[in-house]
Amino acid sequence: MKTLGSAAVALLLIAGSAWAQPGAGPQPVTPAPFAPAPQDGPFNGVIRLDVDATDTVHKVFTVHETIPVQQAGRMVLLYPEYETGSHAATASIAALAGLTLHAGGQPLAWRRDPLNPYAFAVEVPAGAAAVEADFQFLSPTGPRQGPLRMTPGMVTVAWQTLVLYPAGWFTRDIPVAASLRLPPGMTPATTLAPALAPTPAPTSGTEGRLSFATETLEDLVDSPVYAGRHVREVPLSQDKAAPVTLALLAEKAEDLETTPAQIAGLARMVAQTHRLLGPAHYRRYALIVALNDQLPGPGGFEHMESSENAVPPDFFQATDGYAVYQDLFAHEFVHSWNGRYRQPAGLWAPTYNQPVDGSLLWVYEGQTEFWGRVLAARAGLRTAAQTLDALAIDAAVAQSRVGRAWKSLQDSANDPSIAIGRPMVWRDWQRREDYYGEGVLLWLDADSLIRERTGGKRGLDDVARALFGGPAGDRVIRTYSFDDVCAALNSVLPFDWAAFLRRRLDAHDDTGLLDGLTRGGYRLVFTDTPTDYFRQTETDGGGTDLSYSIGLVVDAKGQARAVAWNGPAFRAGLNVGSRLIAVNGQPFSGDRLIEAVRQAAARPVELGFDSDGAEQTAAIDYHGTLRYPRLERVTGTPDRLTALLRPLP
């Protein structure tokens, strides 16, 4: 080891003091704005957007766009970054390729904003009437690359991935006339109206092209097109002024078959939603259902006049009825009111390239999830007993969220920006999007409080109608704030709702978490026998769920799919991804593991497992038995849950 002399040390001290002086190093450069700020004003002309979706082999969408020039000089084109259904910047600019721009037949050079890759600047020559843009959208070719947009028998057209638009205007002010070319033999399902003007005679390469009526860019992006080789449409309402249609698409024709009871249940869901929220604001509505296991799902995306829903191909044929998915359609239909027609102020933005604030997602998603549970029961899509079993799981999951100690429900509203597209290994500690399930309990608490204090005369139905409803045919989007939510609650029951909500939203413990169940006449209990509904959630999750006993979920091969943070399995050294090899000295099987946990009070569970390539054996410090959640009626108390789940007259 070499030591420094005193002179060298002194020089270092002098240099160090110089390094620490303010202003001695580089200073940040504030760039000039690349794109003009959006203004709410008229846009002259109509954008022509032509999309070719016929290349299902390579899964490539080809786009040609004609953008009217407003004035010569600098034009900035934006590619949408924020997607309304995800509440985050989830659009992939990497999927846009091959961009070329022309004006009057001459190529135009473009320059990308180095700080914002979604913005492109171009100099438009004097006298140019329009800028022609050509590019491709390279959709994923496999599920690991992202949500599939094309399969051999189905195409999904998400307009936000297929358009460039000029900066400087609100999207609601930009008119777009879109056309779409589909593969031969495919039938579209969409709420977009056809163009009123006659389509010119087909020329080479234009056969099969659909032309749509001019819409604002906002309405176009909010109106996806699904197309398939096997499509069936079924009416769900008798309202000729604002019809509701079920649009089914499948890879196989037999998957389109439904029973009269299934259609009647969905029709009741539509009717019950209108009794809850009021008349239709939409012109028409399509419940688009893709019966396809290659598309991302099960799940859905909301729009004002349609919803995208992906479910397994045998959804309507399965004997168990897929009870765990039966509130999906109601959830997305309610979003037409809460989410699109009425939006949290922070989630509304004038363009698709400005950040959004999800602070009210516990209303947007949480209350919508609550109504999904309720409406599925009111419509008979799920029985009341199944709904109680679903609420038991909501309660058990929320109660087990140990991450509440550091992360509040309010902070979970930031999860679209934090978590989407990123792995979440320790779900109960990281608390991903808990505003859904915990939001159900929050709004159940509010409903039961209103019912208790009004003698059952009023409930959250009255609040929802006041907050999200409006006159028939009114499509003007309006926003709501935290104060508006409190005002709607106070209009039904005068109470300190702001304190009520803040106490729950900012809590770091589970005080009051299950008050809605208790006030509703029920309590959460755990038994050694799972409900049928719980078994369905296990099937859906692909594993044996022992979350509430040893804190472990494993698949049929013994792979740990979830490990409860600081639970018995966690403390024994198991990790997500560990593979069970043995249970109490015998080769692993799901049944053997279940039986071992059942007998854990008499004999500790010993697990052999492989973790990071090393085989280990550990005794699980758990001395109870199997624990599965269910709701138990509290005798001598009013049954307000049954009243909530009863259909509206």
Side-chain angles (χ1 to χ4, degrees), residues 53-111:
T54 58
D55 190 358
T56 57
V57 172
H58 302 103
K59 298 178 173 53
V60 172
F61 293 80
T62 301
V63 180
H64 177 76
E65 199 170 351
T66 303
I67 304 167
V69 170
Q70 305 299 294
Q71 62 181 33
R74 192 168 186 270
M75 173 190 285
V76 175
L77 298 175
L78 300 174
Y79 185 73
E81 180 179 7
Y82 286 81
E83 297 182 289
T84 55
S86 63
H87 322 303
T90 49
S92 171
I93 188 61
L96 182 150
L99 176 62
T100 60
L101 302 177
H102 292 79
Q106 298 301 311
L108 300 177
W110 54 262
R111 180 174 66 89

Side-chain angles (χ1 to χ4, degrees), residues 302-358:
E302 63 270 15
H303 305 282
M304 184 181 289
E305 297 190 325
S306 64
S307 61
E308 306 172 65
N309 304 273
V311 296
D314 64 341
F315 181 84
F316 291 104
Q317 281 73 49
T319 55
D320 64 10
Y322 280 109
V324 294
Y325 303 150
Q326 289 297 334
D327 57 358
L328 170 63
F329 303 146
H331 178 106
E332 301 304 340
F333 190 44
V334 168
H335 265 321
S336 179
W337 282 263
N338 179 19
R340 306 309 306 136
Y341 180 46
R342 300 291 180 251
Q343 300 179 16
L347 284 176
W348 181 86
T351 76
Y352 304 115
N353 292 77
Q354 291 176 276
V356 294
D357 173 5

Side-chain angles (χ1 to χ4, degrees), residues 147-322:
L148 287 181
R149 295 289 180 188
M150 290 182 171
T151 70
M154 205 171 294
V155 169
T156 67
V157 178
W159 297 107
Q160 72 271 16
T161 66
L162 304 169
V163 65
L164 291 167
Y165 67 98
W169 286 266
F170 285 17
T171 56
R172 69 185 181 210
D173 296 325
I174 302 175
V176 183
S179 68
L180 172 66
R181 188 179 177 206
L182 293 170
M186 285 199 180
T187 300
T190 183
T191 55
L192 288 173
L196 296 178
T199 303
T203 58
S204 177
T206 66
E207 295 82 356
R209 187 173 295 279
L210 304 167
S211 295
F212 301 106
T214 299
E215 299 276 7
T216 67
L217 179 58
E218 180 179 69
D219 284 340
L220 178 70
V221 168
D222 201 39
S223 305
V225 179
Y226 274 55
R229 303 197 183 282
H230 304 288
V231 179
R232 177 185 171 211
E233 294 193 358
V234 183
L236 294 179
S237 77
Q238 302 300 317
D239 186 353
K240 294 181 180 179
V244 179
T245 302
L246 172 67
L248 301 175
L249 301 94
E251 298 279 352
K252 298 185 297 183
E254 54 265 33
D255 291 336
L256 298 176
E257 296 176 6
T258 58
T259 66
Q262 289 168 331
I263 299 303
L266 291 173
R268 286 193 300 271
M269 181 273 291
V270 171
Q272 284 292 314
T273 304
H274 279 294
R275 289 189 178 99
L276 167 68
L277 296 172
H281 48 274
Y282 48 77
R283 299 166 294 188
R284 65 196 75 85
Y285 189 93
L287 188 68
I288 301 173
V289 180
L291 297 152
N292 193 317
D293 53 11
Q294 298 181 64
L295 299 181
F301 289 95
E302 63 270 15
H303 305 282
M304 184 181 289
E305 297 190 325
S306 64
S307 61
E308 306 172 65
N309 304 273
V311 296
D314 64 341
F315 181 84
F316 291 104
Q317 281 73 49
T319 55
D320 64 10
Y322 280 109

Side-chain angles (χ1 to χ4, degrees), residues 94 96 148 152 162 166 189 264 332 367 443 496 523 580 617 620 644 648:
L96 182 150
L148 287 181
L162 304 169
E332 301 304 340
Q367 194 174 140
W443 292 112
D496 190 354
R523 59 173 161 248
L580 298 190
T617 301
I620 307 298
L644 169 66
L648 297 177

